[in-house]
């Protein structure tokens, strides 16, 4: 079976992890700060805070921005459920902004209209979470321009997009957002097995995020209630979690990060081959905005005839090609239907979903395999 995504593990990765296993610290040692510095430097952000998953990162990002049971949070319907669940975990209400059918990303125009309406009924969101589907950056400038009119914070869910660029800057530099979140799950661009990171330019958020990832305990708290208690002493000032990344995971991340640009280059080469091979078929490939460079987490195609999708999907799997579909619209998940959402709430996302198919894409995929995948698809269509 050709998988739809696959990690790449080298001897350097193995050595990097083994070194931690025989060192003094399996967790809370030097590898996590080393990984954080490497990420911050790579994306051009002042701060990076590593956690045990992007799901955790999204959760504490919402908490740090003050999302609570009185808040609304808006995200994209064409995403993994974690982009919306983070708000529910804070007790907030979730709503979905429809997507641009050309990219599958949050549509700035739809956002503008929805915000104008929300303002008129006093239900403006506290936070908006655009998602860079497939690694293709959202139109962040337009999204930020609209959101800033209402003083709304922005968390980028860049789980697919480490190594992506927008306006010649790396996604994660937070030029148009408050916080950016990356995932290091093995199907993503670089992996720590499980892991995530938050980046921000806002120094005021850093101690809050670090406290939230570790039980709400802050040893460097400037305002200790009992400053003279002793060196053993720490204080918990708020309710936090244990969302820390271990040094074992961080060591894998440090080692993987050194190959990030090779990975995105390879993914882009393969995407180009797909694009050329598929250009005459009754489908469109989903392409990034012209002023951006995509890390190409997923190779998404949009079939002109959605009635064929399931048949094509099954036949591709029969041919040992693990195609996939990203994503079933989040608002139609049973959990969100129970919150009152209905079919038709995000018509562009729902139509696009019915047409989408994800083809295999990962650095080790060979040009011959891409040919085989395209031949198979061509025969089926
Ligand atoms: C993978 C993914 C997440 C969750 O990442 P984890 O690190 O597995 O928690 C969140 N959002 C999107 C868009 C994702 O693809």
């Amino acid at each position: 079976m050709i998988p739809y995504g696959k990690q790449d593990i080298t001897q350097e990765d193995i050595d990097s992890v083994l070194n931690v296993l025989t060192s003094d610290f399996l967790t809370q040692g030097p590898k996590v700060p080393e990984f954080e510095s490497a990420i911050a430097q790579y994306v051009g952000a002042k701060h990076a805070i590593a956690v045990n998953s992007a799901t955790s990162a999204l959760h504490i990002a919402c908490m740090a921005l003050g999302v609570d049971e009185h808040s609304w949070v808006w995200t994209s319907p064409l995403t993994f459920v974690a982009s919306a669940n983070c708000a529910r975990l804070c007790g907030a209400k979730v709503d979905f902004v429809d997507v641009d059918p050309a990219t599958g990303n949050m549509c700035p125009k739809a956002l503008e209209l929805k915000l104008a309406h929300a303002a008129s009924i006093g239900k403006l969101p506290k936070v908006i979470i655009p998602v860079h589907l497939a690694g293709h950056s959202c139109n962040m400038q337009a999204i930020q321009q609209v959101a800033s009119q209402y003083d709304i914070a922005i968390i980028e869910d860049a789980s697919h997009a480490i190594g992506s660029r927008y306006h010649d800057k790396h996604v994660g530099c937070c030029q148009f957002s408050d916080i950016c979140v990356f995932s290091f799950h093995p199907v993503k661009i670089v992996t720590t097995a499980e892991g995530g990171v938050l980046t921000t330019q806002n120094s005021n958020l850093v101690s809050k995020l670090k406290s939230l990832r570790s039980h709400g305990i802050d040893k460097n708290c400037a305002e200790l209630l009992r400053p003279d208690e002793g060196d053993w002493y720490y204080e918990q000032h708020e309710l936090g979690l244990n969302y820390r990344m271990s040094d074992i995971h961080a060591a894998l991340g440090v080692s993987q990060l050194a190959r990030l640009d090779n990975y995105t280059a390879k993914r882009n080469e393969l995407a180009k081959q797909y694009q050329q091979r598929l250009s005459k078929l009754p489908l469109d490939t989903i392409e990034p905005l012209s002023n951006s460079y995509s890390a190409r987490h997923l190779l998404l195609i949009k079939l002109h005839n959605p009635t064929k999708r399931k048949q094509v999907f099954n036949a591709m799997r029969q041919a040992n090609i693990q195609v996939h579909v990203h994503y079933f619209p989040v608002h139609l998940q049973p959990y969100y239907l129970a919150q009152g959402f209905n079919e038709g709430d995000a018509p562009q996302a729902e139509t696009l979903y019915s047409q989408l198919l994800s083809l295999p894409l990962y650095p080790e995929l060979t040009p011959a395999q891409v040919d085989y995948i395209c031949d198979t698809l061509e025969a089926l269509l």
Side-chain angles (χ1 to χ4, degrees):
M1 184 74 107
I2 303 174
Y4 90 88
K6 187 170 180 275
Q7 72 274 17
D8 169 59
I9 300 293
T10 64
Q11 191 58 47
E12 285 80 39
D13 293 341
I14 294 166
D15 292 342
S16 180
V17 170
L18 286 180
N19 282 339
V20 173
L21 284 172
T22 52
S23 76
D24 289 339
F25 296 99
L26 300 186
T27 189
Q28 295 177 288
K31 276 289 162 187
V32 170
E34 186 185 331
F35 184 50
E36 290 173 333
S37 302
I39 296 273
Q41 189 175 6
Y42 181 88
V43 302
K46 267 202 209 118
H47 310 281
I49 296 108
V51 289
N52 59 0
S53 72
T55 302
S56 304
L58 288 163
H59 185 195
I60 61 172
C62 285
M63 289 173 82
L65 292 170
V67 172
D68 61 20
E69 61 274 21
H70 307 295
S71 315
W72 282 90
V73 173
W74 293 2
T75 187
S76 166
L78 267 195
T79 184
F80 184 56
V81 292
S83 313
N85 289 348
C86 56
R88 295 290 307 133
L89 287 167
C90 298
K93 289 176 283 281
V94 171
D95 205 354
F96 299 91
V97 183
D98 211 353
V99 302
D100 177 342
T103 60
N105 281 334
M106 183 182 284
C107 173
K109 194 76 206 163
L111 175 64
E112 189 177 358
L113 293 171
K114 198 174 171 77
L115 282 173
H117 176 68
S120 74
I121 58 170
K123 285 188 175 176
L124 281 169
K126 182 147 208 153
V127 171
I128 295 172
I129 307 179
V131 182
H132 306 309
L133 185 66
H136 306 1
S137 177
C138 297
N139 185 347
M140 288 307 299
Q141 187 167 26
I143 289 172
Q144 197 253 3
Q145 203 165 22
V146 182
S148 66
Q149 289 169 29
Y150 302 95
D151 207 20
I152 298 164
I154 297 176
I155 302 169
E156 293 173 73
D157 183 345
S159 292
H160 300 180
I162 192 148
S164 295
R165 295 196 290 269
Y166 174 70
H167 288 190
D168 289 330
K169 288 193 174 140
H170 278 110
V171 169
C173 75
C174 299
Q175 189 184 4
F176 299 106
S177 67
D178 296 272
I179 297 173
C180 182
V181 167
F182 296 110
S183 170
F184 305 115
H185 184 276
V187 298
K188 309 291 163 71
I189 308 283
V190 293
T191 189
T192 62
E194 296 282 2
V197 86
L198 307 105
T199 61
T200 184
Q201 299 288 17
N202 185 345
S203 304
N204 296 328
L205 290 172
V206 175
S207 59
K208 181 90 179 166
L209 289 168
K210 286 188 174 171
S211 159
L212 288 170
R213 83 168 161 186
S214 197
H215 309 281
I217 290 169
D218 191 348
K219 280 192 175 171
N220 307 317
C221 182
E223 286 160 38
L224 286 182
L225 203 62
R226 296 164 173 267
D228 302 321
E229 190 68 14
D231 262 0
W232 63 86
Y233 181 69
Y234 55 80
E235 284 182 2
Q236 180 196 350
H237 279 248
E238 63 187 333
L239 193 58
L241 301 123
N242 180 355
Y243 279 173
R244 291 187 306 261
M245 177 181 276
S246 83
D247 279 49
I248 301 171
H249 295 83
L252 180 53
V254 168
S255 177
Q256 288 259 314
L257 204 57
R259 298 194 301 281
L260 172 54
D261 288 341
N262 295 345
Y263 287 153
T264 60
K266 194 75 206 294
R267 285 171 175 277
N268 272 278
E269 269 174 43
L270 294 166
K272 200 165 167 189
Q273 187 188 346
Y274 268 120
Q275 214 182 342
Q276 284 164 352
R277 280 292 324 262
L278 300 176
S279 64
K280 292 193 183 68
L281 301 189
L283 58 85
D284 301 311
T285 55
I286 302 278
E287 294 302 321
L289 297 174
S290 60
N291 54 4
S292 67
Y293 172 81
S294 175
R296 299 272 185 183
H297 166 51
L298 299 170
L299 196 297
L300 300 181
I301 62 169
K302 182 173 150 184
L303 301 178
H304 291 173
N305 181 0
T307 59
K308 279 201 160 176
R309 200 253 311 255
K310 192 169 178 185
Q311 192 190 335
V312 170
F313 180 97
N314 289 336
M316 294 289 279
R317 288 238 169 155
Q318 281 287 306
N320 283 324
I321 301 162
Q322 196 199 32
V323 287
H324 221 293
V325 173
H326 296 90
Y327 288 94
F328 181 76
V330 177
H331 65 287
L332 302 181
Q333 291 288 352
Y335 175 81
Y336 285 97
L337 291 177
Q339 311 271 315
F341 291 98
N342 290 299
E343 252 176 69
D345 285 344
Q348 300 289 359
E350 290 166 32
T351 302
L352 184 54
Y353 157 71
S354 72
Q355 300 176 280
L356 284 174
L357 201 59
S358 303
L359 303 181
L361 184 62
Y362 51 92
E364 273 180 73
L365 189 70
T366 66
Q369 285 175 315
V370 172
D371 275 332
Y372 169 67
I373 294 162
C374 293
D375 288 343
T376 309
L377 188 60
E378 188 167 358
L380 287 166
L381 289 173

